[in-house]
Amino acid sequence: MLTMASYGFENECKEIHDSWGRINQLIQSLASRTQLERQQIRETYKAIYGEDLVNRFQEAEMMSNNTNDTAAAGISPKLCAALSLFMLEPHERDAVVAREALEQSHHTNYCKALVEIFVGRKSSQIFLTKQAYHTRYRRQLDQDIANIEPPNSYQKILIALVTSHKAHHADVSQHIANCDAKRLFETGEGSPGAIEEAVVLEILSKRSIQQMKLTFSSYKHIYGHDYIKSLKREHSGEFENALKMVVKCIHNPPYYHAKQTLYESIKGRTEDKGGLARLLVSRAEVEMDEIRTIYKNKYGIELRDAICESIPSGDYRDFLVALATK
């Protein structure tokens, strides 16, 4: 039965259903749609055909992976995975990304994906993501992060970020920012030894992302350079490297996404193989214009052209380009 919210998308759903063997047409039908339109298409498709469109993409991905025959599934596994993520609501998508990230064997991989979530989402969104994670996997996201083995610095920082979404106040304070900036200096480059992890983790766990942004701005105003510079000393270790990733993402998310995720993925300089599709899917309707501009200014090439140069021609590349130019 069609709901009022989904009424009017019957023709689109029929087009999607009938064009399953014509993948490029399927891509064009979906890539240009907004989040709300995709949600309505998903509801309408299920009402008409009795099947969740997301599940169909996931089943096609499994079939293609198991048979190693894209013709059998009608669609490549990479494209299936990207389309299924694209059709999910944002909090559902983040839950899936978080689970896949935690199943990675290398901690820098899962840290990148989770940092994008915990730094780039509001606390209300994080709450919905945790609910979706529990509903889908019957597990607690916080607990899964805390149970990562072996324990490492990336895990410590993620736990602090998780805690910050529970404890912080919505309002930002210049006074708190100045005090935190001084504490970061005194326990970092202002001291002769290694950075005091406990102090940094305490600040991260008690402050909102907006408050941390103000702190880093205050740090530069007081000491004349970015906080990130203090983390590039010779004795920097795993904790400093993990912290650098988080600070860069907090300080300027579009620049971080353009450089640390897109450029590194396009150039094959990262083990985070899903980073390119993950970022394009999640930010296509959020800040892609700004990311594209930063990418062009920094690397002298349009993002779509960079994707075309690095990804073999085909439906998967077509979908990524559609998202990059959305």
Side-chain angles (χ1 to χ4, degrees), residues 107-122:
H107 52 249
T108 56
N109 289 351
Y110 73 67
C111 190
K112 272 190 174 183
L114 291 171
V115 163
E116 289 170 13
I117 292 172
F118 286 111
V119 169
R121 314 293 187 261
K122 296 179 180 178

PDB file of all heavy atoms in Angstrom, residues 107-122:
ATOM      1  N   HIS A 107      43.872  -0.581  12.015  1.00  0.00           N
ATOM      2  CA  HIS A 107      43.162   0.427  12.794  1.00  0.00           C
ATOM      3  C   HIS A 107      43.075   1.796  12.138  1.00  0.00           C
ATOM      4  O   HIS A 107      42.147   2.543  12.399  1.00  0.00           O
ATOM      5  CB  HIS A 107      43.760   0.550  14.210  1.00  0.00           C
ATOM      6  CG  HIS A 107      45.230   0.748  14.263  1.00  0.00           C
ATOM      7  ND1 HIS A 107      46.081  -0.217  14.741  1.00  0.00           N
ATOM      8  CD2 HIS A 107      46.007   1.787  13.901  1.00  0.00           C
ATOM      9  CE1 HIS A 107      47.326   0.234  14.691  1.00  0.00           C
ATOM     10  NE2 HIS A 107      47.298   1.435  14.186  1.00  0.00           N
ATOM     11  N   THR A 108      44.019   2.154  11.275  1.00  0.00           N
ATOM     12  CA  THR A 108      43.902   3.460  10.630  1.00  0.00           C
ATOM     13  C   THR A 108      42.717   3.492   9.681  1.00  0.00           C
ATOM     14  O   THR A 108      42.133   4.539   9.431  1.00  0.00           O
ATOM     15  CB  THR A 108      45.185   3.832   9.868  1.00  0.00           C
ATOM     16  OG1 THR A 108      45.488   2.799   8.932  1.00  0.00           O
ATOM     17  CG2 THR A 108      46.339   4.038  10.810  1.00  0.00           C
ATOM     18  N   ASN A 109      42.349   2.336   9.131  1.00  0.00           N
ATOM     19  CA  ASN A 109      41.200   2.269   8.232  1.00  0.00           C
ATOM     20  C   ASN A 109      39.900   2.524   8.983  1.00  0.00           C
ATOM     21  O   ASN A 109      39.092   3.364   8.594  1.00  0.00           O
ATOM     22  CB  ASN A 109      41.135   0.903   7.538  1.00  0.00           C
ATOM     23  CG  ASN A 109      42.234   0.739   6.506  1.00  0.00           C
ATOM     24  OD1 ASN A 109      42.930   1.681   6.186  1.00  0.00           O
ATOM     25  ND2 ASN A 109      42.386  -0.466   6.005  1.00  0.00           N
ATOM     26  N   TYR A 110      39.675   1.789  10.064  1.00  0.00           N
ATOM     27  CA  TYR A 110      38.414   1.984  10.777  1.00  0.00           C
ATOM     28  C   TYR A 110      38.382   3.361  11.431  1.00  0.00           C
ATOM     29  O   TYR A 110      37.325   3.976  11.565  1.00  0.00           O
ATOM     30  CB  TYR A 110      38.151   0.875  11.790  1.00  0.00           C
ATOM     31  CG  TYR A 110      38.975   0.862  13.054  1.00  0.00           C
ATOM     32  CD1 TYR A 110      38.853   1.854  14.023  1.00  0.00           C
ATOM     33  CD2 TYR A 110      39.865  -0.172  13.314  1.00  0.00           C
ATOM     34  CE1 TYR A 110      39.596   1.842  15.183  1.00  0.00           C
ATOM     35  CE2 TYR A 110      40.609  -0.205  14.483  1.00  0.00           C
ATOM     36  CZ  TYR A 110      40.473   0.802  15.412  1.00  0.00           C
ATOM     37  OH  TYR A 110      41.206   0.783  16.572  1.00  0.00           O
ATOM     38  N   CYS A 111      39.540   3.869  11.822  1.00  0.00           N
ATOM     39  CA  CYS A 111      39.567   5.184  12.467  1.00  0.00           C
ATOM     40  C   CYS A 111      39.110   6.265  11.500  1.00  0.00           C
ATOM     41  O   CYS A 111      38.333   7.135  11.851  1.00  0.00           O
ATOM     42  CB  CYS A 111      40.968   5.485  12.980  1.00  0.00           C
ATOM     43  SG  CYS A 111      41.036   6.953  14.045  1.00  0.00           S
ATOM     44  N   LYS A 112      39.558   6.212  10.254  1.00  0.00           N
ATOM     45  CA  LYS A 112      39.165   7.227   9.279  1.00  0.00           C
ATOM     46  C   LYS A 112      37.649   7.289   9.123  1.00  0.00           C
ATOM     47  O   LYS A 112      37.049   8.355   9.163  1.00  0.00           O
ATOM     48  CB  LYS A 112      39.811   6.934   7.921  1.00  0.00           C
ATOM     49  CG  LYS A 112      41.186   7.541   7.741  1.00  0.00           C
ATOM     50  CD  LYS A 112      41.625   7.414   6.305  1.00  0.00           C
ATOM     51  CE  LYS A 112      42.934   8.152   6.066  1.00  0.00           C
ATOM     52  NZ  LYS A 112      43.335   8.101   4.644  1.00  0.00           N
ATOM     53  N   ALA A 113      37.044   6.135   8.915  1.00  0.00           N
ATOM     54  CA  ALA A 113      35.598   6.093   8.701  1.00  0.00           C
ATOM     55  C   ALA A 113      34.844   6.568   9.932  1.00  0.00           C
ATOM     56  O   ALA A 113      33.880   7.342   9.825  1.00  0.00           O
ATOM     57  CB  ALA A 113      35.174   4.673   8.333  1.00  0.00           C
ATOM     58  N   LEU A 114      35.261   6.139  11.110  1.00  0.00           N
ATOM     59  CA  LEU A 114      34.562   6.512  12.343  1.00  0.00           C
ATOM     60  C   LEU A 114      34.797   7.975  12.706  1.00  0.00           C
ATOM     61  O   LEU A 114      33.898   8.642  13.226  1.00  0.00           O
ATOM     62  CB  LEU A 114      34.999   5.598  13.485  1.00  0.00           C
ATOM     63  CG  LEU A 114      34.522   4.147  13.359  1.00  0.00           C
ATOM     64  CD1 LEU A 114      35.175   3.263  14.406  1.00  0.00           C
ATOM     65  CD2 LEU A 114      33.005   4.059  13.482  1.00  0.00           C
ATOM     66  N   VAL A 115      35.990   8.485  12.435  1.00  0.00           N
ATOM     67  CA  VAL A 115      36.259   9.901  12.684  1.00  0.00           C
ATOM     68  C   VAL A 115      35.336  10.759  11.815  1.00  0.00           C
ATOM     69  O   VAL A 115      34.793  11.771  12.278  1.00  0.00           O
ATOM     70  CB  VAL A 115      37.737  10.242  12.400  1.00  0.00           C
ATOM     71  CG1 VAL A 115      37.941  11.747  12.249  1.00  0.00           C
ATOM     72  CG2 VAL A 115      38.614   9.727  13.531  1.00  0.00           C
ATOM     73  N   GLU A 116      35.147  10.370  10.547  1.00  0.00           N
ATOM     74  CA  GLU A 116      34.243  11.110   9.666  1.00  0.00           C
ATOM     75  C   GLU A 116      32.843  11.180  10.268  1.00  0.00           C
ATOM     76  O   GLU A 116      32.160  12.203  10.155  1.00  0.00           O
ATOM     77  CB  GLU A 116      34.189  10.435   8.293  1.00  0.00           C
ATOM     78  CG  GLU A 116      35.451  10.595   7.472  1.00  0.00           C
ATOM     79  CD  GLU A 116      35.453   9.711   6.226  1.00  0.00           C
ATOM     80  OE1 GLU A 116      34.374   9.165   5.879  1.00  0.00           O
ATOM     81  OE2 GLU A 116      36.513   9.561   5.604  1.00  0.00           O
ATOM     82  N   ILE A 117      32.420  10.098  10.909  1.00  0.00           N
ATOM     83  CA  ILE A 117      31.085  10.056  11.505  1.00  0.00           C
ATOM     84  C   ILE A 117      31.019  10.905  12.766  1.00  0.00           C
ATOM     85  O   ILE A 117      30.171  11.794  12.902  1.00  0.00           O
ATOM     86  CB  ILE A 117      30.678   8.600  11.824  1.00  0.00           C
ATOM     87  CG1 ILE A 117      30.484   7.812  10.522  1.00  0.00           C
ATOM     88  CG2 ILE A 117      29.404   8.565  12.674  1.00  0.00           C
ATOM     89  CD1 ILE A 117      30.271   6.334  10.722  1.00  0.00           C
ATOM     90  N   PHE A 118      31.923  10.664  13.713  1.00  0.00           N
ATOM     91  CA  PHE A 118      31.830  11.323  15.019  1.00  0.00           C
ATOM     92  C   PHE A 118      32.216  12.794  14.979  1.00  0.00           C
ATOM     93  O   PHE A 118      31.795  13.572  15.838  1.00  0.00           O
ATOM     94  CB  PHE A 118      32.678  10.575  16.047  1.00  0.00           C
ATOM     95  CG  PHE A 118      32.067   9.273  16.479  1.00  0.00           C
ATOM     96  CD1 PHE A 118      32.639   8.067  16.123  1.00  0.00           C
ATOM     97  CD2 PHE A 118      30.897   9.254  17.222  1.00  0.00           C
ATOM     98  CE1 PHE A 118      32.069   6.868  16.502  1.00  0.00           C
ATOM     99  CE2 PHE A 118      30.308   8.062  17.610  1.00  0.00           C
ATOM    100  CZ  PHE A 118      30.893   6.860  17.250  1.00  0.00           C
ATOM    101  N   VAL A 119      33.012  13.193  13.993  1.00  0.00           N
ATOM    102  CA  VAL A 119      33.352  14.613  13.855  1.00  0.00           C
ATOM    103  C   VAL A 119      32.331  15.335  12.983  1.00  0.00           C
ATOM    104  O   VAL A 119      32.003  16.492  13.229  1.00  0.00           O
ATOM    105  CB  VAL A 119      34.772  14.773  13.265  1.00  0.00           C
ATOM    106  CG1 VAL A 119      35.033  16.223  12.869  1.00  0.00           C
ATOM    107  CG2 VAL A 119      35.813  14.308  14.269  1.00  0.00           C
ATOM    108  N   GLY A 120      31.804  14.653  11.981  1.00  0.00           N
ATOM    109  CA  GLY A 120      30.967  15.313  10.992  1.00  0.00           C
ATOM    110  C   GLY A 120      29.477  15.279  11.233  1.00  0.00           C
ATOM    111  O   GLY A 120      28.709  15.780  10.409  1.00  0.00           O
ATOM    112  N   ARG A 121      29.028  14.704  12.349  1.00  0.00           N
ATOM    113  CA  ARG A 121      27.589  14.603  12.603  1.00  0.00           C
ATOM    114  C   ARG A 121      27.217  15.298  13.912  1.00  0.00           C
ATOM    115  O   ARG A 121      28.005  15.346  14.850  1.00  0.00           O
ATOM    116  CB  ARG A 121      27.145  13.147  12.691  1.00  0.00           C
ATOM    117  CG  ARG A 121      27.680  12.219  11.616  1.00  0.00           C
ATOM    118  CD  ARG A 121      27.149  12.519  10.228  1.00  0.00           C
ATOM    119  NE  ARG A 121      27.575  11.484   9.304  1.00  0.00           N
ATOM    120  CZ  ARG A 121      28.608  11.598   8.474  1.00  0.00           C
ATOM    121  NH1 ARG A 121      29.315  12.727   8.466  1.00  0.00           N
ATOM    122  NH2 ARG A 121      28.939  10.611   7.663  1.00  0.00           N
ATOM    123  N   LYS A 122      25.989  15.779  13.975  1.00  0.00           N
ATOM    124  CA  LYS A 122      25.477  16.346  15.207  1.00  0.00           C
ATOM    125  C   LYS A 122      25.185  15.222  16.204  1.00  0.00           C
ATOM    126  O   LYS A 122      25.031  14.062  15.820  1.00  0.00           O
ATOM    127  CB  LYS A 122      24.192  17.133  14.931  1.00  0.00           C
ATOM    128  CG  LYS A 122      24.386  18.340  14.031  1.00  0.00           C
ATOM    129  CD  LYS A 122      23.065  19.037  13.784  1.00  0.00           C
ATOM    130  CE  LYS A 122      23.234  20.261  12.892  1.00  0.00           C
ATOM    131  NZ  LYS A 122      21.954  20.926  12.600  1.00  0.00           N
TER     132      LYS A 122
END
